[in-house]
Amino acid sequence: MAISIIGKLNGVSRIAVRLFSVASSRFNQIQTFKVAVVGTGPGGFYTAHHLLNKSSPDIRFELDFFERLPAPHGLSRYGVAPDHPEVKNCEEYLDNIFSSTKSNHKVRFFGNVDIGKDISLNDLQSHYNSIVLSYGCTSSDNELNIPGSKLPGVLPARQFVNWYNGHPDYYEKDNLFVPPPLDKITDVTIIGNGNVALDVARVLLADPEKHWASTDISEDALKILKTSTVKNVNIVGRRGLLESAFSNKEIRELFELSKEQSLKFTPLDESYFKSIDVSKLGRVDKRKVSIIEKYSKVSETASDDVDRTWSLQYLKSPVEFITNPDNPNLLSSTKIVMNELVIDDLTKSVKVKPTTETEVIKNELVILSIGYKGSGIQGFEDIGILYENGKLFNKDGRILSSESKGKDDHSVIYKKGWYTSGWIKNGPKGVIATTMMDSFDTADRILTDLSNGVYLEANSDNDITNLLKDKRIVTWGDWKKLDNYELSTGQQMGKSRFKLCNREEMFEKI
Amino acid sequence: MIKTIIPYGSSISNTIKPSLIRFTPPHQSLSTIRSFHQSLTNHHGHLHKPNPGEELHITFITKDGQQITYEVAEGDNVLDIAQAHNLDMEGACGGSCACSTCHIIVDPEFYDEIPEPDDDENDMLDLAFGLTETSRLGCQVKMRKELDGIRVALPAMTRNLQSKDFNN
């Protein structure tokens, strides 16, 4: 053991007594690294949190967050359903970063700054030692290439979700998103059965007054939900019950909601359960079958005198959406082909094969919940970063140079100093806990690289704010003002939060 | 290969809960000094001091196979115990059973001694990496006399996730 005395830390004269082992008794000097984190959703803030909390004491970070929107938290604010406030607890990680007074690190928030437009990637590269791209993977939608899929009665789930969650892109005064006319609709079909599909189903099914009014759902959306005449929601999957993409938590929640409210699940045919050999299933699938079977039995005897019904439908693929002759903004039905499962016994992969059997589902609205797509940032080509196959070209969070494309694993070239985390690292799938673990992983890579001298040479004299002089920046203090306004107004209204959805209105409160 | 060393924690700082017995391979001792630094800012958890003669024992098997035994009090939960000793367990939800980041794998010999998981715990476990038949959430397992001597493993994280882990 040895003791070193270090003065002048962070501009404040102080004496720090540090213990370190003889084995590493090199002269310890605090080294400062400038890090940029692009995007402030869970991928961004979990990476930053890990960097700031797990770094060795002789590293000091100057970390800047960049956020395209005026408000932080990404998908936690704009993706997670309003009735899942416990999931949004993850936002505290970002708050903690800014409220931690003990730390020597310096952290800044630059909201309303669009990387690629307001700041070029080249500028980012010359100002920071390490750059983390965690800007999400939800800029567009997977498409279904069948007749009618471009009809106005076919709506991607992402748009519906962003609308009810008050995403500013959907509340621009001169480019307002037009929500589906729920007061003219009785039957809705949701294609896809992941957790997003169940979120959408809950929004359409649950009583707006009892279930949604107290949440942070957009007030505009709430108004329209109150006029809704939706009576029935079908959740359609192309594969079988076992392949359902929802998690057990979410399906159980919808069943429980049906018990509490005037909702009825249309029971599944018993043959579904008889055809499944439960003894061969793992713990999660076994529970999935038992939950659905249990609630399906319960609803067999439940009263039909309900406000709304819903169903899970399996082995069905849409082949055509048929427009409504009375209202071109709506559909009249969806043509469906029945599938059979093709199971590869070796790889256990489950695919579907269409049969000749068809069916028509009556619906005025279809919501496509078949996954998201991301996109690159302007300037990727110039600096050699690739967005392809639904994610950034990377290895374990280190971004690979586009020159490496097609090369084998041992010959890849890293794009020094560039990292990725969150959905843009792995593709748009996985719950927040997955993103958390995975972001910690990326942060570990960054720490390893910094210890080994692998980082960009940043021009330390130039601060990034010099490039943002003409820009309306939202600082962390600004956001906290907005946050307090939303929370206190929400409290007066009996809501967990009153979300401001329009950018100009957000700026007015800062 | 396993050797007992004197707990460094109690002699350096009383902010570390006294760990009375600590097994660690000799080559780990340098790195534990490093983790001591981190524990000062990070450790949370609210453990009770066991009454003399009523100490219960719990052994953690870490991701790298290290076995560490602690003496703890009845009523403390496994997440708090792990965090107080700076073991790598996240508990991101603060112990409210809203995430799966305190997943532990329980020695089958003791599994049935723990009251069965409720639906909320099962909901979260179903999202955990590397779920096994004896998986539990650390925040939901409280130490009781029946669990004296229990061994729990921290799951080694699987980086190559399967498509099934990605419910969207």
Side-chain angles (χ1 to χ4, degrees), chain A residues 403-428:
Chain A
E403 301 162 54
S404 301
K405 195 172 150 52
K407 290 194 175 164
D408 67 73
D409 244 20
H410 308 290
S411 330
V412 290
I413 301 157
Y414 291 107
K415 186 94 189 104
K416 185 165 92 176
W418 289 82
Y419 304 85
T420 179
S421 67
W423 273 5
I424 197 68
K425 172 183 174 185
N426 295 309

Side-chain angles (χ1 to χ4, degrees), chain B residues 38-54:
Chain B
Q38 295 162 358
S39 70
L40 284 177
T41 51
N42 271 348
H43 93 88
H44 21 42
H46 331 273
L47 291 194
H48 302 95
K49 210 173 145 54
N51 294 328
E54 292 174 16

Side-chain angles (χ1 to χ4, degrees), chain A residues 1 19 21 23 53-54 56-57 86 93 102 194-196 245 247-249 252 283-285 287 371 428-430 433-434 436-437 440-441, chain B residues 30 33-34 37-38 41-42 90 92 98 100-101 119-120 122-127 129 131-135 157 159 161 164 166-168:
Chain A
M1 293 279 174
L19 300 160
S21 69
N53 286 285
K54 298 288 173 179
S56 86
E86 75 288 353
Y93 274 73
K102 275 186 284 181
N195 287 338
V196 173
S247 61
N248 289 343
K249 172 183 184 289
R252 195 172 70 83
R283 178 170 169 170
V284 178
D285 284 345
R287 186 159 176 263
K429 48 206 171 178
T434 314
M436 184 188 80
M437 303 279 188
F440 290 172
D441 241 18
Chain B
L30 282 182
I33 285 172
R34 191 165 202 88
H37 270 290
Q38 295 162 358
T41 51
N42 271 348
E90 195 61 34
S100 57
T101 57
D119 278 329
D120 288 336
N122 271 324
D123 280 347
M124 292 303 140
L125 278 171
D126 286 351
L127 299 171
F129 299 102
L131 185 71
T132 69
E133 293 298 324
T134 66
S135 288
M157 239 236 287
R159 313 292 181 185
L161 307 169
K164 282 223 156 178
F166 293 126
N167 294 316
N168 66 347

Side-chain angles (χ1 to χ4, degrees), chain A residues 7 34 53 73 84 99-102 105 128 220 291 298 319 323 401-402 404 441 463 476 502 510:
Chain A
K34 293 170 89 176
N53 286 285
H73 302 145
H84 285 169
S99 60
S100 167
T101 48
K102 275 186 284 181
H105 308 301
Y128 292 95
D220 287 14
I291 289 172
V298 170
V319 286
T323 193
S401 157
S402 53
S404 301
D441 241 18
D463 191 74
W476 186 254
N502 172 272
I510 291 171

Side-chain angles (χ1 to χ4, degrees), chain A residues 285-353:
Chain A
D285 284 345
K286 211 179 268 177
R287 186 159 176 263
K288 180 184 280 176
V289 175
S290 90
I291 289 172
I292 299 174
E293 190 171 11
K294 176 181 141 197
Y295 287 98
S296 193
K297 279 221 173 84
V298 170
S299 59
E300 270 171 21
T301 53
S303 160
D304 285 324
D305 184 22
V306 290
D307 293 344
R308 288 169 177 160
T309 58
W310 63 283
S311 68
L312 291 172
Q313 306 199 15
Y314 291 105
L315 298 169
K316 294 180 182 182
S317 291
V319 286
E320 186 178 357
F321 302 114
I322 318 277
T323 193
N324 193 315
D326 303 324
N327 184 343
N329 286 323
L330 298 177
L331 303 177
S332 63
S333 61
T334 299
K335 226 191 223 174
I336 293 282
V337 64
M338 303 299 294
N339 297 321
E340 55 188 33
L341 291 183
V342 182
I343 300 169
D344 184 322
D345 282 332
L346 179 64
T347 65
K348 301 290 174 217
S349 79
V350 181
K351 294 198 170 114
V352 291
K353 197 171 84 179

Side-chain angles (χ1 to χ4, degrees), chain A residues 222-237:
Chain A
L222 183 65
K223 252 181 236 158
I224 288 175
L225 288 178
K226 284 179 182 169
T227 68
S228 166
T229 51
V230 171
K231 289 285 166 220
N232 177 46
V233 175
N234 307 303
I235 302 164
V236 173

